[in-house]
Amino acid sequence: MQVPFVSFEPMHNEINTGLEKALLDVLHSNWYIRGKQVEAFEREFANYCGANYCVGCGNGLDALFLILKAYDIGCGDEVIIPSNTFIATALAVTYSGATPVFVEPNIETYTINPALIEEKIGPRTKAIIAVHLYGQAADMDAIAAIANKYNLRVIEDAAQAHGAEYKGKKTGNLGDAAGFSFYPGKNLGALGDAGAVVTNDVGLAEKVRALANYGSDYKYHHIYQGNNSRLDEMQAAILRVKLCKLDEWNGYRNEIAQKYLNKIKNEKVILPVPNMYGTHVWHIFAVRTENREKFEKYLNECGIGTTIHYPIPIHMQGAYKGEKWKKGDFPIAEKISMTELSLPMYYGMKEEIQYVIEMVNRF
């Protein structure tokens, strides 16, 4: 049996008529940037997250960068981020002019360990970016308590956690602001790059909207040195169709994950640990093994697609060569990078689920 790591076909087949209508509606409207579709999606997604405001932008990296810029976090400042995350989290801090400060994750949940944050806070610290990695919310109460103590902003990197919950509240409504990515592979994915900032802070929302539009609050009036990062009408229309199905699709992913968690019985394979305070949406089903290269090769030979998230931790990437970090500085992130392997996880999996389970157990 062939099991791809991800497939959009089952989900798109289910909503094909709606997608085609949405695209044709935009085509025939002759309005393609910041129009009615974007306005409607921003309203609907803010409501979905339980927040007051949503501002569409070009991608998830831009969303985080725009938040930092809108909060005037920049040169000379420091921002705490997890040592185990996609590089976009660090790049957003770097682009703002600030310096990323790494904090190790919890080895079981993969999200930032709040117990290690306080020791990294200094006089230049301005914010904590809490990454809801792989679809699971970080421990936001503990993070908020630290942030309140030191008067820091809490920014959610929710790029992998659309619809995830923390103690009954959805991501996007757990900090001062949240950055979302709608890259096609996300639980809520566009048909290209897209992103959004979600917040309850009206001042931030207005500033982000201006910054993302060349720093302009109205045409040819520029109050900031801004950027061009706007959600287009086509992507917004697609996202509106998919948003209606997001909870259903997330529920299906959870069913797959529960089967993996209950039926994978192999002492060589370490399963992820869902936290007790939230709802995981399983963007990634990340397992770990000391024999990853052999495990990956074996699964691929069985026809099972896999991916590594992420093979090189940020502090060892060439992009940050010359910084003060070196191998061994963040052993937990390095351990994860050397042992993590992601199993197939997508809406529409059926007999493929049992096949993956059987092959993993035979390893």
Side-chain angles (χ1 to χ4, degrees):
M1 179 182 291
Q2 294 295 313
V3 185
F5 176 69
V6 66
S7 174
F8 305 138
E9 188 173 356
M11 131 185 359
H12 287 168
N13 283 345
E14 197 171 90
I15 58 172
N16 186 60
T17 300
L19 293 178
E20 290 181 352
K21 182 181 184 303
L23 291 171
L24 286 173
D25 285 348
V26 174
L27 177 64
H28 295 148
S29 75
N30 293 307
W31 192 290
Y32 307 116
I33 299 289
R34 283 192 166 181
K36 292 181 179 179
Q37 293 289 344
V38 170
E39 290 175 2
F41 173 72
E42 289 177 341
R43 183 172 60 253
E44 291 160 6
F45 192 62
N47 183 66
Y48 176 82
C49 294
N52 291 330
Y53 308 101
C54 171
V55 181
C57 62
N59 53 68
L61 169 56
D62 284 0
L64 294 176
F65 167 70
L66 288 164
I67 293 168
L68 292 167
K69 191 169 182 177
Y71 277 137
D72 296 318
I73 296 171
C75 187
D77 297 330
E78 293 180 346
V79 177
I80 289 173
I81 70 171
S83 57
N84 176 48
T85 182
F86 182 54
I87 197 171
T89 314
L91 289 174
V93 177
T94 302
Y95 291 166
S96 76
T99 300
V101 175
F102 294 117
V103 170
E104 290 272 68
N106 180 308
I107 191 66
E108 293 187 338
T109 65
Y110 305 123
T111 58
I112 193 168
N113 187 343
L116 303 177
I117 292 176
E118 198 162 1
E119 65 189 52
K120 295 295 185 77
I121 295 173
R124 297 194 297 159
T125 309
K126 293 295 187 293
I128 301 168
I129 297 182
V131 181
H132 306 315
L133 198 68
Y134 303 154
Q136 176 160 240
D139 188 353
M140 296 302 291
D141 281 354
I143 292 168
I146 296 168
N148 289 336
K149 181 177 178 180
Y150 292 95
N151 194 30
L152 306 177
R153 296 289 185 184
V154 176
I155 300 166
E156 300 173 71
D157 182 340
Q160 299 183 2
H162 315 73
E165 293 185 358
Y166 176 85
K167 296 184 177 180
K169 294 179 67 175
K170 281 190 169 64
T171 55
N173 192 27
L174 302 172
D176 292 295
F180 283 88
S181 166
F182 303 118
Y183 181 77
K186 305 298 186 183
N187 290 35
L188 179 61
L191 299 186
D193 279 317
V197 171
V198 175
T199 184
N200 289 310
D201 183 341
V202 62
L204 178 81
E206 290 175 351
K207 190 170 182 180
V208 165
R209 190 175 299 281
L211 284 168
N213 189 35
Y214 300 100
S216 174
D217 54 349
Y218 60 89
K219 195 171 177 110
Y220 299 133
H221 185 256
H222 304 272
I223 53 178
Y224 309 112
Q225 294 180 7
N227 303 80
N228 175 18
S229 181
R230 300 173 298 197
L231 178 63
D232 69 65
E233 287 285 282
M234 288 285 188
Q235 302 302 348
I238 293 298
L239 290 169
R240 292 185 67 199
V241 175
K242 289 189 170 186
L243 181 58
C244 296
K245 301 284 288 184
L246 179 57
D247 285 342
E248 177 187 335
W249 291 341
N250 281 344
Y252 196 97
R253 298 172 85 95
N254 188 62
E255 290 177 8
I256 298 170
Q258 291 308 312
K259 289 178 181 178
Y260 281 167
L261 291 170
N262 293 333
K263 296 183 179 182
I264 291 177
K265 307 289 184 182
N266 186 326
E267 63 182 14
K268 301 184 187 72
V269 179
I270 301 170
L271 298 174
V273 179
N275 60 51
M276 301 301 294
Y277 46 72
T279 303
H280 204 314
V281 294
W282 301 102
H283 173 61
I284 298 296
F285 192 91
V287 303
R288 292 191 299 112
T289 178
E290 296 296 331
N291 304 300
R292 184 177 65 195
E293 185 176 346
K294 182 179 178 182
F295 186 42
E296 181 182 30
K297 184 173 184 285
Y298 160 78
L299 289 178
N300 293 167
E301 288 174 348
C302 293
I304 298 171
T306 59
T307 297
I308 298 171
H309 294 88
Y310 302 96
I312 305 172
I314 299 170
H315 69 282
M316 293 172 59
Q317 292 281 359
Y320 284 97
K321 186 177 181 180
E323 298 288 348
K324 59 185 177 181
W325 311 299
K326 63 183 183 302
K327 184 177 180 180
D329 283 347
F330 303 99
I332 299 177
E334 292 173 26
K335 178 76 170 178
I336 293 171
S337 74
M338 292 185 292
T339 58
E340 191 278 342
L341 191 69
S342 301
L343 301 183
M345 170 62 70
Y346 57 89
Y347 177 77
M349 291 181 72
K350 293 180 181 176
E351 64 272 10
E352 296 93 342
I353 303 168
Q354 185 59 34
Y355 180 71
V356 171
I357 292 167
E358 289 176 2
M359 294 304 104
V360 170
N361 285 339
R362 288 182 188 178
F363 174 67

